[in-house]
Amino acid sequence: MYNAKGRYILMAVFLIASAICLVYKQEELAAVGAMFFGFVLWSHFKQSSILLAAKYYHKGDYDHAERVLAEVPNPDRLARKRRGYYEFMMGNIVLKKGMFDDAERHFQIASRFPLGGKNDKAFVMIHLANLALRKKDKERMIAYIEHAKTLAVTPKAQEIIQKLDIEANKL
């Protein structure tokens, strides 16, 4: 759980250690250092700082979580399991800022990737239904609600879906 700066420092340490090992004719140790460098580099692009951002996000420190998520070099390269969390957190952060179109885009992307479970996916659909309600788009709202009904597990999610269903009928 390093941020980007920490991973860059760690990669530099492994490269320097590998170079020193090569100077002292320790090819096996140099190979191990290069392997660790490769693992950290792979981790930088596939895993990034999503877990660190999730830690701040769950604590309610959304500004810090957003700064950590901004360090992700290319969200398209993230592993499938990490991409869903990235988009879900970014969607909630920009939703709190009132940027509804960006939030909808992030939630749309999050709906295509795996999340923690069915209930997390249901909350993505609930957010999309809320955004459709804001736009007064009844067809999309009903579609999102129906999909959320199949995924909702907790009573809280089911209660929110019932309230959205009532709002959809008012449109």
Side-chain angles (χ1 to χ4, degrees):
M1 274 196 345
Y2 295 104
N3 62 1
K5 184 178 177 182
R7 280 191 302 277
Y8 293 144
I9 292 170
L10 200 56
M11 284 189 276
V13 167
F14 287 134
L15 275 180
I16 292 168
S18 293
I20 291 171
C21 288
L22 283 176
V23 168
Y24 287 104
K25 309 252 188 268
Q26 298 294 319
E27 289 84 10
E28 293 88 6
L29 289 176
V32 169
M35 182 184 68
F36 284 138
F37 169 81
F39 176 75
V40 174
L41 182 65
W42 171 83
S43 172
H44 179 63
F45 289 108
K46 287 296 189 181
Q47 306 294 324
S48 200
S49 302
I50 303 302
L51 290 177
L52 184 62
K55 176 182 151 188
Y56 291 120
Y57 179 82
H58 289 296
K59 285 184 179 178
D61 189 359
Y62 302 116
D63 293 331
H64 206 131
E66 184 178 18
R67 278 189 300 238
V68 172
L69 288 174
E71 293 178 353
V72 174
N74 186 357
D76 294 334
R77 289 186 181 164
L78 288 173
R80 287 186 56 78
K81 290 184 178 181
R82 298 290 185 237
R83 180 74 189 270
Y85 285 115
Y86 171 85
E87 297 296 344
F88 182 73
M89 286 187 288
M90 282 302 290
N92 279 312
I93 289 169
V94 296
L95 185 64
K96 289 185 185 316
K97 291 182 175 184
M99 301 163 64
F100 302 115
D101 291 334
D102 289 342
E104 184 176 7
R105 183 177 54 82
H106 284 294
F107 286 129
Q108 292 267 344
I109 295 170
S111 70
R112 296 183 207 131
F113 290 96
L115 289 170
K118 285 185 172 185
N119 207 51
D120 291 339
K121 192 78 103 169
F123 276 105
V124 169
M125 293 298 142
I126 288 169
H127 282 299
L128 286 169
N130 272 326
L131 291 167
L133 173 64
R134 179 175 281 288
K135 291 182 177 181
K136 299 191 186 322
D137 188 352
K138 185 176 182 177
E139 289 178 21
R140 289 176 84 186
M141 185 178 178
I142 291 173
Y144 291 136
I145 290 170
E146 293 303 317
H147 190 63
K149 283 179 183 177
T150 63
L151 299 170
V153 177
T154 62
K156 180 180 178 182
Q158 292 170 349
E159 178 185 336
I160 294 170
I161 291 170
Q162 287 174 350
K163 289 179 183 177
L164 284 172
D165 214 3
I166 293 168
E167 291 296 322
N169 292 330
K170 289 181 184 177
L171 283 180

